[in-house]
Amino acid sequence: QVQLVESGGGLVQAGGSLRLSCAASGSIFSIRTMGWYRQAPGKQRELVAEIPSGGSTNYADSVKGRFTISRDNAKNTVDLQMNSLTPEDTAVYYCNAWASSGLRLVPMDYWGKGTLVTVSS
């Protein structure tokens, strides 16, 4: 199995910056895609950004130009640099990985428990 652990959430003022990190561990065979999702109060979970292996990054329109996703394949980590934050960015942010474990080999979705980001006005 693959475990994902997020860190870096917290309280930040509007216009500020925050960096989220996610570390994957466990019986990892390969991680095809890593990404970040978020769920704001009263809203459905949405894709924020994703970064496939050897592919182009993909961002939600609402965060383009402000957020940057990066990945370290050697360490099995993915980061999300968030700049120019607004109260609309307030949400629980979840790390996601489409990965296969060494035991099962077939890929499946893995999720972290989430980290809360609160942006004050």
Side-chain angles (χ1 to χ4, degrees), residues 98-113:
W98 178 252
S100 59
S101 69
L103 180 63
R104 297 179 177 84
L105 296 180
V106 296
M108 64 178 292
D109 247 0
Y110 294 91
W111 295 92
K113 295 181 179 179

Side-chain angles (χ1 to χ4, degrees), residues 38 46-48 59-67 88-89:
R38 69 184 181 187
E46 65 175 352
L47 173 69
V48 178
Y59 296 92
D61 290 339
S62 60
V63 307
K64 285 182 179 178
R66 300 189 298 119
F67 290 11
E88 293 183 1
D89 296 315

Side-chain angles (χ1 to χ4, degrees), residues 9-92:
L11 176 64
V12 65
Q13 289 184 311
S17 299
L18 207 62
R19 189 181 81 248
L20 305 181
S21 297
C22 173
S25 62
S27 301
I28 301 172
F29 178 74
S30 67
I31 302 178
R32 178 69 177 272
T33 304
M34 300 192 79
W36 289 93
Y37 290 71
R38 69 184 181 187
Q39 187 166 21
K43 301 285 187 178
Q44 292 185 324
R45 188 174 300 187
E46 65 175 352
L47 173 69
V48 178
E50 62 181 358
I51 179 168
S53 298
S56 300
T57 55
N58 184 36
Y59 296 92
D61 290 339
S62 60
V63 307
K64 285 182 179 178
R66 300 189 298 119
F67 290 11
T68 302
I69 189 170
S70 60
R71 180 175 175 177
D72 188 332
N73 292 325
K75 296 182 178 180
N76 291 320
T77 60
V78 61
D79 289 0
L80 184 68
Q81 178 65 46
M82 304 184 294
N83 299 325
S84 302
L85 287 163
T86 73
E88 293 183 1
D89 296 315
T90 296
V92 176

